[in-house]
Amino acid sequence: MTFSTTAPATTPAPGTTPPGVRALGWLAAAGTLPYLGIKLLWLTGSTVGMTEPAFLSEPAIVVGNAITFALDLVVIGLALALTHRWGDRLPAWLVLLPMWVGTGFLAPMVVSIVPAIAVETLTGGPRTAVFEPWLQPVVYGGFAWQGVFLGAAFVAHAVRRWSGLITTVARPAAGLAPLLRVVTGGGCAMAAAGAVFHLVAGITAGSPVGVGVETVNAAFAVAGAAGVLALVRARPTRAGGPSRRPGRAAPSCSRGACTRSRSG
């Protein structure tokens, strides 16, 4: 994709992010505390929240608890990076990759899984035999909390860091077109298969709550495919001036601002 960026003639002072933005980061980090606390207790020998304590002594469960404990520490680091100026200096992939993975896990928590758990808890629905009744609402409620505030923190970070960068959209280089078609087609096919799988799982779940959860998951898959199509089929826009070959920079300065077109 070819895009244009506009850079100010002078570099703004680093400063600090607004207090409200920093609060989003700390609130997102606070959402990890219930999960971290329970995992730490389990890793140190406690059986809090368990109806079958022997379950925690299985090697696979011990390793899984250690990994998920570490992943929640990553969430804290990500939340603070998104809401503090030092995070703006991190490589983009170091922010985008964990946020991409986290969105896939946390968004369903907010939209479908936590509401489903709330309905089952209030209506006396089926419960997992291994855990105490209070454990899932506490843990998954923390995940939903993280999803809301981490998402808001990422929006604030993206607006602050990248909103002024992309000013025009151009057609991708001719050599990339076949690859884009393959990637887009494969991604949409996988999304469609995933949506069908979730719908079948919901229908066979045997409960209205299960149908609702899996329908939302199917909708997420369809939305992902639609987003990919929107990206690759975006119509080019003109920034003015003569066209240039992809990959060549075309800087021009006027009234203290420099505009540069580049390929990426």
Side-chain angles (χ1 to χ4, degrees), residues 140-165:
Y140 288 113
F143 287 152
W145 178 282
Q146 293 173 45
V148 170
F149 289 104
L150 197 63
F154 176 72
V155 170
H157 178 86
V159 169
R160 182 178 71 250
R161 185 172 179 179
W162 295 305
S163 63
L165 292 182

Side-chain angles (χ1 to χ4, degrees), residues 120 126 197-215:
E120 290 185 343
F197 172 81
H198 283 297
L199 289 175
V200 171
I203 293 171
T204 58
S207 71
V209 173
V211 172
V213 169
E214 296 300 341
T215 300

Side-chain angles (χ1 to χ4, degrees), residues 128-145:
T128 305
V130 177
F131 305 120
E132 294 285 355
W134 59 266
L135 186 65
Q136 281 190 317
V138 169
V139 170
Y140 288 113
F143 287 152
W145 178 282

Side-chain angles (χ1 to χ4, degrees), residues 109-110 112-125 127 133 136-138 140-141 209 213:
M109 292 288 175
V110 177
S112 61
I113 295 178
V114 167
I117 291 175
V119 170
E120 290 185 343
T121 300
L122 294 174
T123 59
R127 295 172 179 172
Q136 281 190 317
V138 169
Y140 288 113
V209 173
V213 169

Side-chain angles (χ1 to χ4, degrees), residues 69-200:
F69 180 85
L71 289 176
D72 234 22
L73 293 178
V74 172
V75 172
I76 295 177
L78 177 62
L80 298 181
L82 291 174
T83 53
H84 290 75
R85 286 292 182 183
W86 56 264
D88 295 354
R89 298 189 293 272
L90 295 175
W93 69 266
L94 197 56
V95 174
L96 295 175
L97 179 60
M99 193 64 210
W100 174 60
V101 174
T103 300
F105 176 72
L106 296 175
M109 292 288 175
V110 177
V111 178
S112 61
I113 295 178
V114 167
I117 291 175
V119 170
E120 290 185 343
T121 300
L122 294 174
T123 59
R127 295 172 179 172
T128 305
V130 177
F131 305 120
E132 294 285 355
W134 59 266
L135 186 65
Q136 281 190 317
V138 169
V139 170
Y140 288 113
F143 287 152
W145 178 282
Q146 293 173 45
V148 170
F149 289 104
L150 197 63
F154 176 72
V155 170
H157 178 86
V159 169
R160 182 178 71 250
R161 185 172 179 179
W162 295 305
S163 63
L165 292 182
I166 300 177
T167 57
T168 62
V169 178
R171 296 187 185 280
L176 289 178
L179 177 61
L180 284 177
R181 284 195 292 269
V182 171
V183 172
T184 303
C188 290
M190 292 182 65
V196 172
F197 172 81
H198 283 297
L199 289 175
V200 171

